[in-house]
């Protein structure tokens, strides 16, 4: 024992003296390695590597002999102690024998005393075991009773379609009793029925969800129609408000006091109407049966079943299929008849999806709704592109555009972007206006073809309001007495109605299309309607259907009224476009029907000139070598003046003063040119001063006629009428002048003879004969002094010939 308790010492080789040999050192190292229990491999390898294994064996033998002597010394040291220990053991053995006999006696006594006690203990243990078994049985019964109660509640919930509570009972059965059920029969029942109950609930919920999917399509269509209808009602209220505002603006021009309260209105039902759709989409049954309860119930049940992701995918795929089905456009029904249902179905779909996104608890994500909307927008754009490309009626295109814009307004309230739809509408703006121009061209042609060139008779005030006041073409704010004969024919209000309808249709197409300022576009197409369509139609009418003075006069009167109507057209377009009138006036260009107006006036002037030429043919009866001047004018001028006075008395009733002035100025200028042309022409070989004095009387009569018209015109217009006779008046003045050579003075010529052509002056002056230049006159006047006027006229002729 003392040997085993000793610790083992590590042997460290003693340091070799400097004189020891290498063999001695190797022996010490080997001894140290063996004592320390180190590996002897390096020594073996070294011995064999050096070729001296015998040396290694020798060292090992020497080490073995040294250790044998040490063992002997240790054994000698402990031998005495071993002998003493053996003696102690022998004395202990006797003590053990005595102890063994004592223990045997004690055991006998104990057995005799403990027997009855052990019997009592066995009875106690047995009673305790029975008690434990009874407690376990009671606990098992209680557990089974609870289990059966849960099963009963689950069945009750299932029978009442209260699936969530049935699932909660099933989960409780599975979590609390699945592993703790003492009855194997009940345990097998739970293992069998629990999955089947879940499967049954899932089937029932999926069936309800499928029924909801079928029902929601019909509800979505009705919901979309209701929402778009409310948007239409809101738009109509806005239009009514704008109309009242325009009426107030018109009234404000007359009396500010009368329109102070004109726009003070309240729309009590606006909020109710605007919230009607929203109140139907609160998840419960609304006015349209918009009920999301089956959906949310199915979603909740699938969440409870742990199938949330699968149901989300199932819902999204089914709704996507429904949307794809909604995209189908029937080829059997015209799109004009089905477009409202088509767009209402899509609108209702996304109203429902918006509500589910906001209240569905993550049933559908915002990205998924956006993807569905992008697909819907793409499809709607392609359908619109296709349908618009086929349409050839402007009204059809406008109806669809209005409904699409209402769809955009409706869905914009729910946060859906509609720019792509508006872009499609803007893209077909030009086509719509081309179709509209084509329709208006046909309508205008029909209206002009039906014109009888008669003044329009209005018997009632409502006719006056409908045909005059509604286009602001009245010349006075005083309502005339009825029956009232208008200065225009029925063509004017007919054309005005067509143009006004064009403006309203154009504004209607441009409104609510994403462009806030579209007056320039409306004005561009209005200019085209007036400048290309109406102007060309009137030109065609003037050139093909006007054959008399009365017809030409009526057309000219119509053009004057249309000029006032054009002012109304531009103001009306500006008002409907929502811009101030001052801005519209700033961008206003000249009268767009100038070609037709000029053509009408030219036609009237031409017909009047033809009439006048018939009277002017009497100028051939003028005695150009009269012995004395006429005092009352020649016959032709009296006939012309009578005709012109008759004409003016009729024309002033329907023609505006400016138009009448331009026409009369053209006619008088033609008369002046005819007089000068007759004197200049070959039909008049010569004439004397008496004939010129007669022509002077004729021109004074014409000037007097122009002066008598002064009350009809301004002073400037009356003077312009007289300037129409400038050429004939200046020619007569020159021929009657005592100093005709003044015509050569540039200053006098510019002031008094600027309308004369010097070549005509030469030819006409050569025809003038002095009274002394009669037959044989030279013999009687030989040696007499030459007439100074004759001398001046000869000098004028000579100088003008030199210039020519």
């Amino acid at each position: 024992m003392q040997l085993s308790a000793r610790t083992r010492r590590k042997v460290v080789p003693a340091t070799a003296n400097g004189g020891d040999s290498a063999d001695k050192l190797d022996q010490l190292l080997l001894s140290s390695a063996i004592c320390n229990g180190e590996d002897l491999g390096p020594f073996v390898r070294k011995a064999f590597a050096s070729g001296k294994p015998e040396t290694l064996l020798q060292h090992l033998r020497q080490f073995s002999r040294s250790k044998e002597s040490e063992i002997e010394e240790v054994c000698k040291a402990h031998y005495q102690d071993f002998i003493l220990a053996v003696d102690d053991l022998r004395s202990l053995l006797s003590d053990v024998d005595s102890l063994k006999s004592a223990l045997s006696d004690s055991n006998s006594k104990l057995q005799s005393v403990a027997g009855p006690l052990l019997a009592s203990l066995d009875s106690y243990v047995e009673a305790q075991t029975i008690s434990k078994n009874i407690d376990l049985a009671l606990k098992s019964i209680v557990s089974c009773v609870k289990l059966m109660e849960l099963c009963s509640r689950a069945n009750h919930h299932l029978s009442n379609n209260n699936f969530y509570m049935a699932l909660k009972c099933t989960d409780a059965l599975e979590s609390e009793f699945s592993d703790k059920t003492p009855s194997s029969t009940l345990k097998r029942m739970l293992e069998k029925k629990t999955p089947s109950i879940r499967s049954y609930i899932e089937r029932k919920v999926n069936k309800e969800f499928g029924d909801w999917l079928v029902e929601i399509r019909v509800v979505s269509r009705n919901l979309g129609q209701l929402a778009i209808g409310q948007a239409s009602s809101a738009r109509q209220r806005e239009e009514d408000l704008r109309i009242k505002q325009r009426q107030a603006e018109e009234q404000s021009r007359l009396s500010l006091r009368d329109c102070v309260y004109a726009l003070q209105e309240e729309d009590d039902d606006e909020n109710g109407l605007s919230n009607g759709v929203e109140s139907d989409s609160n998840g419960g049954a609304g006015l349209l049966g918009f009920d999301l309860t089956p959906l949310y119930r199915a979603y909740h049940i699938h969440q409870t079943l742990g199938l949330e992701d699968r149901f989300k995918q199932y819902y999204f795929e089914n709704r996507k299929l429904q949307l794809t089905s909604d995209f189908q456009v029937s080829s059997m029904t015209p799109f004009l008849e089905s477009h409202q249902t088509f767009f209402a179905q899509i609108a209702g779909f996304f109203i429902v999806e918006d509500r589910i996104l906001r209240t569905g608890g993550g049933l559908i994500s915002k990205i998924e709704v956006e993807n569905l909307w992008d697909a819907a927008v793409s499809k709607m754009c392609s359908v619109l592109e296709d349908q618009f490309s086929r349409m050839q009626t402007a009204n059809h295109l406008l109806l669809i555009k209005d409904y699409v814009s209402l769809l955009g307004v409706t869905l914009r309230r729910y946060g859906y972007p509609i720019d792509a739809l508006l872009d499609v509408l803007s893209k077909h703006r030009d086509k719509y206006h081309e179709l509209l121009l084509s329709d208006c061209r046909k309508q205008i042609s029909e209206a002009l073809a039906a014109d009888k060139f008669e003044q329009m008779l209005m018997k009632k005030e409502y006719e006056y309001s409908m045909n005059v006041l509604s286009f602001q073409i009245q010349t006075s704010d005083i309502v005339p007495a009825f029956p009232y004969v208008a200065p225009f024919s029925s063509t004017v209000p007919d054309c005005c109605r067509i143009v006004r309808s064009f403006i309203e249709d154009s504004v209607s197409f441009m409104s609510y299309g994403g462009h806030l300022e579209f007056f320039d576009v409306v004005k561009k197409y209005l200019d085209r309607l007036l400048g290309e369509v109406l102007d060309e139609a009137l030109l065609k009418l003037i050139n093909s259907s006007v054959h008399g003075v009365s017809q030409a006069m009526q057309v000219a009167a119509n053009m004057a009224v249309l000029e006032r109507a054009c002012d109304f057209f531009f103001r009306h377009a500006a008002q409907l476009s929502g811009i101030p009138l001052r801005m519209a006036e700033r961008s206003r260009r000249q009268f767009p029907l100038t070609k037709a107006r000029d053509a009408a006036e030219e036609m009237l002037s031409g017909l009047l000139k033809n009439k006048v030429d018939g009277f002017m043919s009497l100028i051939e009866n003028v005695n150009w070598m009269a012995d004395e001047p006429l005092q009352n004018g020649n016959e032709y001028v009296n006939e012309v003046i009578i005709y012109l006075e008759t004409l003016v008395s009729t024309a002033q009733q329907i023609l505006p003063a400016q138009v009448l002035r331009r026409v009369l100025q053209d006619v008088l200028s033609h008369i002046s040119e005819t007089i000068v042309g007759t004197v200049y022409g070959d039909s008049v070989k010569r004439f004397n001063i008496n004939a010129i004095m007669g022509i002077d009387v004729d021109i004074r009569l014409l000037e007097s006629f122009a002066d008598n018209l002064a009350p009809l015109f301004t002073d400037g217009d009356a003077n312009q009428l007289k300037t129409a006779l400038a050429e004939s008046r200046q020619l007569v003045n020159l021929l009657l002048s005592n100093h005709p050579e003044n015509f050569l003075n540039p200053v006098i010529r510019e002031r008094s003879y600027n309308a004369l052509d010097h070549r005509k002056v030469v030819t006409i002056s050569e025809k003038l004969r002095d009274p002394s230049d009669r037959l044989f006159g030279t013999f009687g006047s030989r040696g007499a002094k030459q007439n100074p006027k004759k001398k001046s006229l000869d000098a004028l002729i000579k100088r003008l010939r030199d210039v020519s």
Side-chain angles (χ1 to χ4, degrees):
M1 291 176 66
Q2 293 177 354
L3 289 174
S4 62
R6 293 179 182 176
T7 60
R8 188 175 180 180
R9 291 186 302 110
K10 188 174 181 181
V11 179
V12 180
T15 304
N17 295 327
D20 291 343
S21 64
D23 189 34
K24 186 66 173 177
L25 180 60
D26 291 340
Q27 185 178 357
L28 292 175
L29 291 175
L30 180 60
S31 300
S32 175
I34 293 172
C35 293
N36 295 331
E38 297 177 359
D39 186 16
L40 301 181
F43 295 96
V44 176
R45 285 193 295 272
K46 181 178 180 183
F48 280 95
S50 61
K52 298 178 180 180
E54 296 82 4
T55 305
L56 177 61
L57 291 174
Q58 184 180 359
H59 291 166
L60 290 174
R61 292 189 187 99
Q62 291 176 358
F63 179 78
S64 176
R65 285 193 295 270
S66 64
K67 290 302 178 182
E68 288 176 356
S69 60
E70 289 182 6
I71 291 171
E72 290 177 358
E73 291 177 358
V74 170
C75 288
K76 290 178 180 180
H78 294 286
Y79 176 76
Q80 189 65 37
D81 294 335
F82 178 75
I83 295 300
L84 293 175
V86 171
D87 292 340
D88 292 337
L89 286 175
R90 286 178 178 177
S91 61
L92 181 62
L93 183 60
S94 62
D95 295 335
V96 168
D97 289 338
S98 61
L99 179 62
K100 181 177 179 182
S101 60
L103 285 174
S104 178
D105 295 339
S106 298
N107 181 48
S108 298
K109 293 177 182 180
L110 181 63
Q111 289 290 338
S112 62
V113 174
L117 292 177
L118 287 176
S120 299
L121 180 62
D122 289 339
S123 299
Y124 171 75
V125 170
E126 183 179 357
Q128 189 177 26
T129 301
I130 293 173
S131 176
K132 288 182 178 179
N133 289 336
I134 293 173
D135 290 341
L136 181 61
L138 290 174
K139 290 180 180 179
S140 297
I141 292 172
V142 171
S143 176
C144 290
V145 169
K146 290 182 179 179
L147 186 147
M148 296 307 294
E149 288 178 352
L150 277 176
C151 289
S152 177
R153 285 204 298 270
N155 288 331
H156 177 71
H157 292 316
L158 283 175
S159 62
N160 293 331
N161 291 330
N162 193 356
F163 298 135
Y164 175 71
M165 294 306 299
L167 282 177
K168 296 303 289 183
C169 291
T170 304
D171 292 340
L173 286 171
E174 192 173 31
S175 61
E176 296 178 10
F177 299 102
S178 178
D179 297 330
K180 301 176 183 179
T181 302
S183 173
S184 60
T185 303
L186 291 177
K187 186 172 184 180
R188 286 194 302 272
M189 183 271 292
L190 290 179
E191 292 175 352
K192 180 180 179 181
K193 293 297 183 180
T194 300
S196 61
I197 290 174
R198 288 198 174 98
S199 178
Y200 170 78
I201 292 174
E202 184 178 359
R203 287 196 306 272
K204 291 286 289 185
V205 168
N206 284 338
K207 183 180 181 303
E208 291 182 1
F209 174 64
D211 295 340
W212 178 85
L213 284 176
V214 174
E215 180 185 357
I216 199 64
R217 293 197 67 187
V218 179
V219 173
S220 295
R221 180 168 61 252
N222 296 333
L223 183 63
Q225 291 173 346
L226 175 63
I228 294 175
Q230 290 180 354
S232 178
S233 300
R235 178 178 295 183
Q236 187 60 47
R237 290 194 297 274
E238 292 178 2
E239 292 294 337
D240 294 342
L241 184 61
R242 290 195 188 98
I243 292 173
K244 293 175 182 177
Q245 183 177 2
R246 287 195 294 269
Q247 292 174 350
E249 290 175 354
E250 291 296 331
Q251 293 175 4
S252 66
R253 299 178 182 177
L254 303 176
S255 174
L256 182 63
R257 181 182 59 191
D258 295 339
C259 65
V260 171
Y261 303 101
L263 296 180
Q264 212 170 42
E265 298 220 350
E266 293 182 0
D267 293 331
D268 296 333
D269 59 340
E270 182 174 357
N271 293 332
L273 287 174
S274 63
N275 294 329
V277 175
E278 194 68 23
S279 64
D280 290 339
S281 58
N282 289 331
L287 296 177
L288 293 175
F290 181 22
D291 188 6
L292 297 178
T293 302
L295 171 65
Y296 291 163
R297 182 182 185 185
Y299 181 46
H300 189 205
I301 294 300
H302 281 81
Q303 284 180 318
T304 307
L305 291 172
L307 304 175
E308 178 180 0
D309 293 337
R310 191 175 78 177
F311 182 76
K312 286 182 179 179
Q313 184 66 25
Y314 179 69
Y315 170 80
F316 180 75
E317 293 297 332
N318 275 275
R319 292 293 281 167
K320 187 176 181 181
L321 288 175
Q322 282 190 337
L323 183 61
T324 304
S325 177
D326 294 339
F327 290 157
Q328 302 303 318
V329 178
S330 175
S331 59
M332 305 299 294
T333 306
F335 189 69
L336 184 66
E337 299 178 8
S338 63
H339 74 279
Q340 292 189 1
T341 303
F342 175 77
F343 290 116
Q345 186 74 54
I346 295 176
F349 179 93
F350 283 100
I351 291 174
V352 171
E353 288 305 313
D354 175 75
R355 190 61 180 172
I356 294 172
L357 174 64
R358 290 187 285 117
T359 63
L363 174 58
I364 190 169
S365 66
K366 185 176 182 181
I367 295 177
E368 288 175 330
V369 175
E370 290 175 352
N371 291 336
L372 290 175
W373 174 246
D374 291 340
V377 169
S378 177
K379 182 61 179 180
M380 286 189 290
C381 289
S382 64
V383 169
L384 287 175
E385 290 278 3
D386 179 59
Q387 296 297 330
F388 282 171
S389 65
R390 299 180 184 180
M391 289 184 181
Q392 298 302 322
T393 304
N395 189 40
H396 295 174
L397 201 148
L398 178 60
L399 288 174
I400 295 176
K401 177 267 168 189
D402 285 342
Y403 205 79
V404 172
S405 66
L406 289 173
L407 169 73
V409 171
T410 301
L411 293 181
R412 182 184 288 163
R413 292 178 52 212
Y414 294 91
Y416 294 104
I418 60 170
D419 294 339
L421 288 174
L422 299 181
D423 291 341
V424 173
L425 299 181
S426 299
K427 181 179 178 182
H428 291 82
R429 179 186 67 193
D430 292 337
K431 178 178 180 178
Y432 169 75
H433 283 92
E434 291 297 334
L435 293 175
L436 193 60
L437 287 172
S438 177
D439 292 344
C440 291
R441 182 179 286 108
K442 185 183 301 182
Q443 295 171 12
I444 289 173
S445 298
E446 293 174 354
L448 295 179
D451 191 14
K452 297 180 180 179
F453 303 101
E454 297 176 355
Q455 291 178 255
M456 191 172 184
L457 176 64
M458 302 176 197
K459 299 180 180 181
K460 300 293 182 179
E461 185 176 355
Y462 78 89
E463 295 179 354
Y464 180 79
S465 176
M466 179 176 63
N467 294 308
V468 178
L469 296 181
S470 61
F471 306 113
Q472 300 178 10
I473 54 178
Q474 70 274 15
T475 55
S476 173
D477 293 333
I478 301 175
V479 178
F482 297 98
Y484 168 69
V485 179
F488 51 82
S489 66
S490 60
T491 295
V492 172
D494 290 343
C495 291
C496 288
R497 272 186 281 273
I498 294 171
V499 175
R500 182 178 64 184
S501 176
F502 175 89
I503 295 171
E504 292 170 353
D505 289 345
S506 177
V507 171
S508 178
F509 188 88
M510 297 302 301
S511 299
Y512 310 103
H515 302 283
L516 298 178
E517 297 181 359
F518 50 83
F519 173 69
D520 292 339
V521 177
V522 175
K523 180 176 175 294
K524 180 183 77 171
Y525 288 107
L526 177 59
D527 288 338
R528 285 190 58 189
L529 173 67
L530 297 176
E532 297 179 11
V533 178
L534 183 57
D535 199 26
E536 291 178 1
L538 290 170
L539 275 175
K540 183 179 179 180
L541 174 73
I542 293 168
N543 294 328
S544 61
S545 302
V546 177
H547 304 295
V549 174
S550 61
Q551 292 181 346
M553 189 178 300
Q554 187 62 66
V555 173
N558 290 348
M559 295 307 304
V561 178
L562 286 174
E563 186 168 1
R564 292 196 299 274
C566 286
D567 296 335
F568 162 75
F569 296 149
F570 285 99
R571 290 196 303 270
H572 190 55
Q575 288 178 336
L576 293 181
S577 301
I579 69 167
L581 292 179
R582 62 180 181 276
M583 295 182 62
E585 294 294 337
R586 195 181 306 158
S587 61
R588 172 82 187 281
R589 67 183 186 93
Q590 62 178 358
F591 179 51
L593 304 178
T594 51
K595 293 181 181 178
R597 181 189 63 188
D598 295 343
E601 294 181 7
E602 289 176 6
M603 176 65 71
L604 178 59
S605 298
L607 293 173
L608 291 177
K609 290 175 186 177
N610 291 336
K611 282 285 188 179
V612 168
D613 286 342
F615 300 115
M616 290 299 294
S617 62
L618 298 176
I619 200 171
E620 297 176 357
N621 299 331
V622 174
N623 183 5
W624 297 104
M625 298 300 293
D627 294 333
E628 57 183 17
L630 294 176
Q631 299 299 323
N632 297 322
N634 291 290
E635 180 184 7
Y636 76 90
V637 76
N638 292 317
E639 295 292 337
V640 167
I641 291 176
I642 291 172
Y643 175 73
L644 292 180
E645 287 177 345
T646 305
L647 173 71
V648 169
S649 64
T650 303
Q652 67 181 354
Q653 297 178 7
I654 61 173
L655 286 180
Q658 289 293 331
V659 177
L660 180 60
R661 191 267 305 166
R662 289 195 295 265
V663 172
L664 288 177
Q665 184 175 348
D666 196 19
V667 172
L668 291 176
S669 177
H670 175 70
I671 294 172
S672 177
E673 291 174 359
T674 302
I675 294 173
V676 174
T678 300
V679 178
Y680 176 72
D682 296 336
S683 61
V684 178
K685 302 298 182 181
R686 62 179 63 190
F687 56 86
N688 59 18
I689 199 67
N690 291 328
I692 295 302
M693 293 176 68
I695 296 297
D696 179 56
V697 174
D698 296 342
I699 295 174
R700 283 203 302 272
L701 290 174
L702 291 172
E703 291 174 341
S704 176
F705 165 76
D707 290 336
N708 292 335
L709 297 178
L712 300 178
F713 313 115
T714 62
D715 294 339
D717 291 341
N719 292 331
Q720 285 185 356
L721 274 181
K722 294 178 68 173
T723 58
L725 301 168
E727 184 179 15
S728 58
R729 165 50 63 197
Q730 291 178 9
L731 178 63
V732 169
N733 290 343
L734 177 64
L735 295 177
L736 295 179
S737 173
N738 292 325
H739 303 284
E741 75 276 6
N742 288 341
F743 182 77
L744 300 174
N745 188 324
V747 177
I748 297 177
R749 179 177 180 179
E750 181 64 27
R751 184 179 68 244
S752 302
Y753 306 109
N754 54 9
L756 295 179
D757 183 2
H758 68 277
R759 288 169 298 195
K760 289 184 179 181
V761 171
V762 171
T763 303
I764 293 172
S765 298
E766 288 179 342
K767 294 182 180 183
L768 179 62
R769 292 292 182 264
D770 190 75
S772 61
D773 291 344
R774 61 187 56 172
L775 188 60
F776 306 116
T778 56
F779 297 102
S781 59
R782 181 173 297 177
K785 186 176 180 181
Q786 187 177 9
N787 188 350
K789 179 177 178 180
K790 176 64 175 176
K791 182 178 179 181
S792 175
L793 189 60
D794 291 342
L796 171 64
I797 294 172
K798 184 177 183 301
R799 289 285 301 276
L800 290 178
R801 283 188 176 279
D802 293 340
V803 172
S804 300

